[in-house]
Amino acid sequence: MGKTLTLSRRGFLVATGATGLTLGVLGACSGPSDTEVDISNLPPNPEVNAWVHIARDDTVIVRIARSEMGQGTLTGLAQLVAEELGADWEKVTTEYPTPGENLARDRVWGDFLTGGSQGIRGSHQYVREGAAAARIMLVQAAAEEWGVPAGECTVNKGVISHAGSGNETSFGAVADAASELTPPTEVTLKDPSEWTIIGQPLPRLDTKDKVTGVQKYGADLQMEGMLNASIKAAPRRNATLASFDASAVSDMPGVVRVMAVGENAVAVVADTWWHANKALQALPIEWEGGDAFNSADFEAELVDGLTSDQAVTGYEVGDVDEAFSNADQIIEAVYNMPFQSHAPMEPMNATALYTSEKCEVWCPTQNGEAALAAAAQASGLPIQQCEVYKLLLGGGFGRRGMTDYVTQAVLIAKEMPGTPVKLLWSREEDQAQGFYHPTTKARVRGSLDSEGNLTGVNVRISGQSILAGIMPQAIVNGMDIATFQGLANPNNPRTADQSLKYTFPNFRADHAMRNPPVRPGFWRGVNANQNAIYLDCLMDELAEAAGRDPLEFRLAHMQDSPELAGVLQAVADTGGWGSDDGKHRGLCAFYSFGAYTAACAEVTVDDNGQLKIDRIVAATDPGYAVNPQQIEAQVEGSFVYGLSAMLYGNITFVEGEVQETNFDTYNVMRIYEMPEVETIIMPSGGFWGGVGEPTIAVAAPAVLNAIYAATGNRVRELPLNYRNLREA
Amino acid sequence: MGRLNINGEIVEVEFDDDTPLLWVLREQLGLTGTKFGCGVAQCGACTVHIDGQAIRSCVYPASAITEAEQITTIEGLSEAGDHPVQQAWEELDVPQCGYCQPGMIMAVAGMLNNNPEANDEDIDAEITNICRCGTFGRVRRGVHLAKTKMA
């Protein structure tokens, strides 16, 4: 697969930057292929349009605006473009345009933000239209050269043909002429039935370099004359840097500078990061003020919110209070979700080079444009004089949508004009300076009539709002709409892709906001993760109280969502639900990020109450499945992320400081705990749903419900953390 | 200053007594395939081989290694990136973000050096590397596929 760039002028720019940066994304130029013309001395083709650049050797370079962080969007987006272009997939390669170029070209690539499982569902339309426009221009260029009507030409795997005249040419040969043409004003996209590249389980475009160690991540950058920095920011939120004694470490090996970074951090710059970090650990630092927050004390506030009269209603159907007052039985339970750290394997990092005329940043980021804005602000230079070069992310999970580490790198580099400085956080810094998944509790209640029919459901969420913490302007009338992911109003276009798909006669989801002095953030799956626990574990409890089969009981309330019923039925059928084989199973189905997901978990709980998750059958309906084998990978990975949180995830604060400072205390799932996962991909078509996040929501509830089946105990307090599950 | 045998070559390199092998590899020799993940031997992203045995280089002082000991990094695991484990990884498209995978591959290759017949229990006991993307299912299948390639 043509995955190394050959003649890409722009790729060269990105790859070389300013100072002899060795990125390793440039391969050696391949020689002339089997075409008759020697192209080796010709200047490179200009781009056909913003999305498509075709080299003279027919390599198709697809521009990817979203960030690749493991979720496979790079390959999926390239498939969308290659499909409409009519490209030969074997000749497709990719490159990132830069945020600065996007700005200079009136945001021709749209949004760079990579989050909310939006990579494909949020850009498929304009990306495919861009590719279709490029195809039309390439065909027109060929047709004009031959003097035949464009409508008589066909495209197949990068070759344009005209049957009548017998002419044939390749994309690369006409790309130069095509670039001069006026783009079409209207394009017609292929019908899904015509797709030959979309929907195929193609191998990722970036695998080879990832198994040989060749792939460069931000942390791997090496530039001529580069220095390395390690940083420590105030361990308590809102604390400031009072003082530090640079003289205590200035003689340590390799140390070049010790400096304050902004109001609340101090960095050591040295020849190597090892030296920088060693000196930083030895540096005497005094902090001042800050919030001496204790997460254990915050419990009382969360509990208070569970019954508070003051709450904001996110979505309401009928009159749930009336339903409760007429109920034969009310089932009530309290569940929780602790703070979580993103903990991507590659710690935060950014490399910056500042001069009085220009500020350049190389970094892994989920939000290139925000990184550019941060570079401009921190450098004090006009944004047009700043640039960000995006690098592959060693995990993101939402953490790299923030730009704090970019700001820090630029502030450090600004003190050392002309010297590139790579800032790399220690794992301890990464854990201590997170934007944590918010903590909440929920009091869930459901009412049954005398015949076991569900009459009302209330999900009362108490706890932290992400938007209040990091996007307060998005709070409207006291409401954080993101709090209600998966429980939200289907009739509001802003929440339709996160809406409740169960049909209840009476329902209310409400939120009593309780904000601790902790930075919240978007954490893969975001609020759908706990909302699925809150709602679906309640459904399990209600089914039991009603004396009904948990599958039948759920399906009975999915009459308006055949897609949700479809994925649930699929996991039940394949997962062996209802069989009398003595195995213990739990179900969950949920809708979030525009996709329908379900899981059937099979568990064993031993005599000591220890859990083994034996098998999971998962199903997802994302509307269209662009690359089924990558969807499968995302679904499997979602269980690791979601179940790590369920098993161990818990960031705690004592006197404002994070206690879980590395993986020895912030445990995550390992391979021995990984169940066999069987994924059923069932795209029903007609909509574009997300993939990277939605399955996380069903992971924990399915297992918690299976634990109940195995033990008769409802586990409502997370994380499990090796607790004896047989003791209530 | 020390002499190290890395990927079949003797290199002279200056380092402090306490500098972990990881940082000598990454910062002084430019062998950045070996990753920094935690610094406390928890995650395994820094796994390399010494005489074919997987070790976590983030806590292993370079000064403790003699010239007679052969260090192998992901860059030196195979000439053309086609060690059976690498082949299996490519075939099954194991990596997602890929940051942990050089360490994962070195851990698996080390295990198979000692135990070419490694079964699921062996994998559970020996492969303790962290992958946050969640590639464990394909890692397990990759081990079994690599075994067939080595047989």
Side-chain angles (χ1 to χ4, degrees):
Chain A
M1 204 152 303
K3 65 187 301 303
T4 50
L5 296 179
T6 51
L7 295 167
S8 168
R9 175 175 44 112
R10 293 164 28 74
F12 181 76
L13 281 171
V14 171
T16 56
T19 53
L21 164 64
T22 51
L23 254 176
V25 298
L26 283 171
C29 264
S30 56
S33 58
D34 49 2
T35 52
E36 308 84 31
V37 188
D38 178 4
I39 56 166
S40 55
N41 292 318
L42 295 173
N45 280 332
E47 67 178 25
V48 180
N49 65 17
W51 298 101
V52 175
H53 180 193
I54 295 168
R56 290 194 184 272
D57 70 352
D58 294 328
T59 299
V60 175
I61 301 145
V62 176
R63 271 70 177 271
I64 306 291
R66 312 283 177 155
S67 300
E68 177 59 48
M69 49 188 167
Q71 83 280 40
T73 207
L74 187 89
T75 304
L77 288 168
Q79 284 178 257
L80 297 183
V81 170
E83 180 70 63
E84 292 296 338
L85 189 63
D88 177 359
W89 180 250
E90 297 299 317
K91 292 183 175 157
V92 169
T93 183
T94 60
E95 68 179 9
Y96 288 143
T98 66
E101 288 172 292
N102 200 36
L103 187 66
R105 295 178 66 175
D106 294 329
R107 299 190 81 226
V108 66
W109 291 287
D111 201 339
F112 279 34
L113 177 63
T114 311
S117 293
Q118 287 284 357
I120 283 176
R121 70 186 176 116
S123 55
H124 68 90
Q125 189 71 24
Y126 58 78
V127 163
R128 287 186 297 148
E129 285 172 356
R135 185 195 67 237
I136 290 167
M137 293 160 75
L138 290 160
V139 168
Q140 192 186 335
E144 285 180 10
E145 193 182 311
W146 300 330
V148 304
E152 292 179 7
C153 298
T154 56
V155 174
N156 183 30
K157 291 192 173 179
V159 174
I160 304 164
S161 311
H162 181 251
S165 63
N167 278 312
E168 195 173 283
T169 190
S170 71
F171 280 176
V174 293
D176 195 348
S179 71
E180 301 290 324
L181 299 173
T182 307
T185 50
E186 274 188 31
V187 299
T188 306
L189 298 179
K190 288 184 184 175
D191 185 84
S193 63
E194 301 172 83
W195 289 344
T196 59
I197 297 174
I198 298 175
Q200 296 304 308
L202 299 171
R204 295 174 64 112
L205 292 169
D206 54 357
T207 295
K208 178 74 182 178
D209 286 350
K210 288 178 176 174
V211 305
T212 55
V214 168
Q215 178 68 57
K216 298 290 181 198
Y217 299 81
D220 301 331
L221 271 192
Q222 292 174 312
M223 296 169 71
E224 205 176 314
M226 185 183 87
L227 294 175
N228 292 273
S230 186
I231 197 164
K232 190 169 182 55
R236 287 185 302 282
R237 196 179 184 203
N238 296 324
T240 53
L241 177 63
S243 66
F244 58 93
D245 181 9
S247 67
V249 302
S250 53
D251 289 340
M252 287 179 69
V255 173
V256 177
R257 285 280 295 273
V258 183
M259 65 172 84
V261 182
E263 302 272 293
N264 72 339
V266 57
V268 175
V269 181
D271 57 347
T272 65
W273 189 82
W274 169 252
H275 282 149
N277 191 54
K278 198 175 160 191
L280 181 68
Q281 301 314 316
L283 181 68
I285 309 171
E286 299 290 334
W287 308 102
E288 202 170 300
D291 299 303
F293 172 67
N294 291 299
S295 40
D297 299 343
F298 191 63
E299 286 291 299
E301 284 194 52
L302 291 175
V303 169
D304 174 71
L306 294 175
T307 53
S308 169
D309 293 338
Q310 302 293 311
V312 174
T313 297
Y315 180 42
E316 190 164 27
V317 176
D319 186 338
V320 76
D321 297 318
E322 176 79 13
F324 287 174
S325 60
N326 295 330
D328 185 64
Q329 248 194 103
I330 292 181
I331 301 301
E332 175 173 338
V334 173
Y335 286 84
N336 80 312
M337 172 60 73
F339 294 111
Q340 308 285 331
S341 170
H342 296 82
M345 292 311 298
E346 180 193 23
M348 296 304 112
N349 66 84
T351 301
L353 173 59
Y354 171 89
T355 66
S356 56
E357 287 84 41
K358 196 163 173 55
C359 178
E360 292 173 288
V361 176
W362 293 260
C363 65
T365 173
Q366 290 176 244
N367 196 345
E369 292 178 294
L372 180 65
Q377 189 168 13
S379 68
L381 291 173
I383 198 164
Q384 292 79 7
Q385 286 167 241
C386 300
E387 185 57 289
V388 167
Y389 307 98
K390 297 196 303 173
L391 303 173
L392 186 89
L393 286 69
F397 313 122
R399 178 62 181 87
R400 286 190 158 101
M402 310 309 289
T403 56
D404 49 333
Y405 56 97
V406 174
T407 298
Q408 291 176 344
V410 171
L411 290 173
I412 295 167
K414 196 178 176 185
E415 296 296 310
M416 313 184 78
T419 300
V421 181
K422 177 167 75 183
L423 170 67
L424 172 65
W425 288 12
S426 65
R427 175 58 58 188
E428 289 76 13
E429 189 69 2
D430 208 275
Q431 286 287 104
Q433 303 297 334
F435 286 80
Y436 306 95
H437 181 89
T439 187
T440 56
K441 283 184 188 291
R443 176 185 180 223
V444 291
R445 292 181 293 166
S447 53
L448 300 168
D449 67 15
S450 56
E451 287 161 4
N453 296 309
L454 177 56
T455 58
V457 169
N458 173 222
V459 179
R460 160 60 67 88
I461 301 161
S462 170
Q464 191 172 16
S465 152
I466 300 174
L467 298 185
I470 59 176
M471 297 168 69
Q473 70 279 10
I475 300 285
V476 179
N477 297 328
M479 189 195 299
D480 172 351
I481 56 167
T483 296
F484 300 101
Q485 284 177 332
L487 307 174
N489 184 351
N491 303 313
N492 178 348
R494 292 176 67 209
T495 56
D497 69 335
Q498 304 281 1
S499 60
L500 181 75
K501 291 294 178 186
Y502 274 116
T503 301
F504 297 133
N506 300 287
F507 174 78
R508 186 172 68 238
D510 48 13
H511 178 208
M513 201 184 287
R514 295 290 184 274
N515 289 323
V518 170
R519 299 193 301 194
F522 297 102
W523 192 93
R524 187 178 180 190
V526 197
N527 292 314
N529 297 351
Q530 68 272 11
N531 289 346
I533 296 172
Y534 300 159
L535 179 63
D536 207 83
C537 289
L538 173 68
M539 288 299 282
D540 219 64
E541 298 203 26
L542 285 166
E544 183 211 0
R548 292 166 65 177
D549 174 72
L551 171 64
E552 178 274 321
F553 185 76
R554 284 178 176 84
L555 288 172
H557 299 94
M558 292 180 181
Q559 66 264 36
D560 297 320
S561 181
E563 297 90 351
L564 194 62
V567 291
L568 180 62
Q569 187 70 58
V571 299
D573 291 347
T574 307
W577 182 263
S579 68
D580 53 0
D581 55 7
K583 294 186 172 168
H584 305 295
R585 297 185 175 90
L587 295 171
C588 179
F590 209 63
Y591 174 78
S592 60
F593 302 92
Y596 303 85
T597 56
C600 176
E602 199 176 294
V603 307
T604 308
V605 178
D606 71 17
D607 292 343
N608 299 317
Q610 296 305 301
L611 174 69
K612 183 168 188 301
I613 307 166
D614 299 307
R615 180 185 179 219
I616 285 171
V617 175
T620 182
D621 178 358
Y624 294 109
V626 174
N627 187 323
Q629 71 99 353
Q630 276 306 299
I631 293 173
E632 187 181 75
Q634 287 303 297
V635 168
E636 285 193 26
S638 293
F639 286 98
V640 176
Y641 213 68
L643 295 176
S644 286
M646 182 200 77
L647 291 169
Y648 308 115
N650 188 12
I651 290 287
T652 62
F653 296 82
V654 174
E655 295 294 308
E657 299 193 20
V658 169
Q659 300 300 294
E660 295 75 19
T661 57
N662 207 317
F663 289 120
D664 50 354
T665 44
Y666 190 73
N667 197 9
V668 295
M669 201 170 170
R670 317 279 170 134
I671 201 168
Y672 78 91
E673 297 160 296
M674 178 72 184
E676 179 196 331
V677 175
E678 189 176 333
T679 303
I680 306 165
I681 300 167
M682 37 197 305
S684 56
F687 64 97
W688 294 77
V691 166
E693 295 174 271
T695 298
I696 294 173
V698 298
V703 172
L704 292 172
N705 292 333
I707 291 170
Y708 174 75
T711 64
N713 279 336
R714 293 282 176 193
V715 177
R716 304 189 182 101
E717 183 76 23
L718 299 184
L720 306 187
N721 215 10
Y722 305 111
R723 172 184 345 158
N724 184 338
L725 301 174
R726 293 195 175 277
E727 290 174 0
Chain B
M1 180 71 116
R3 284 166 65 84
L4 298 172
N5 181 340
I6 297 176
N7 297 332
E9 281 182 46
I10 302 286
V11 295
E12 289 206 8
V13 56
E14 271 190 52
F15 47 77
D16 310 328
D17 280 352
D18 62 349
T19 306
L21 175 61
L22 171 68
W23 297 103
V24 174
L25 294 171
R26 287 179 56 81
E27 302 199 289
Q28 291 166 264
L29 300 172
L31 295 170
T32 55
T34 307
K35 304 301 183 197
F36 165 61
C38 69
V40 295
Q42 276 287 318
C43 78
C46 65
T47 305
V48 300
H49 295 176
I50 296 181
D51 290 337
Q53 305 297 309
I55 62 113
R56 293 191 170 174
S57 66
C58 73
V59 294
Y60 205 109
S63 59
I65 305 169
T66 70
E67 192 182 329
E69 294 174 296
Q70 293 186 21
I71 300 163
T72 308
T73 71
I74 186 74
E75 292 89 349
L77 182 64
S78 61
E79 290 249 328
D82 58 355
H83 183 280
V85 177
Q86 290 169 309
Q87 285 181 37
W89 254 236
E90 209 179 332
E91 220 169 296
L92 298 178
D93 236 357
V94 173
Q96 291 187 29
C97 91
Y99 191 83
C100 73
Q101 296 299 335
M104 193 74 81
I105 289 168
M106 295 306 285
V108 167
M111 174 179 71
L112 294 178
N113 279 344
N114 294 331
N115 179 8
E117 303 295 320
N119 59 23
D120 281 328
E121 289 68 39
D122 299 322
I123 294 170
D124 287 345
E126 292 188 41
I127 305 302
T128 57
N129 297 41
I130 294 174
C131 169
R132 291 287 283 156
C133 295
T135 62
F136 296 136
R138 290 191 184 187
V139 166
R140 185 182 297 280
R141 295 197 284 283
V143 174
H144 293 305
L145 180 59
K147 277 161 47 184
T148 67
K149 290 175 182 295
M150 293 168 88

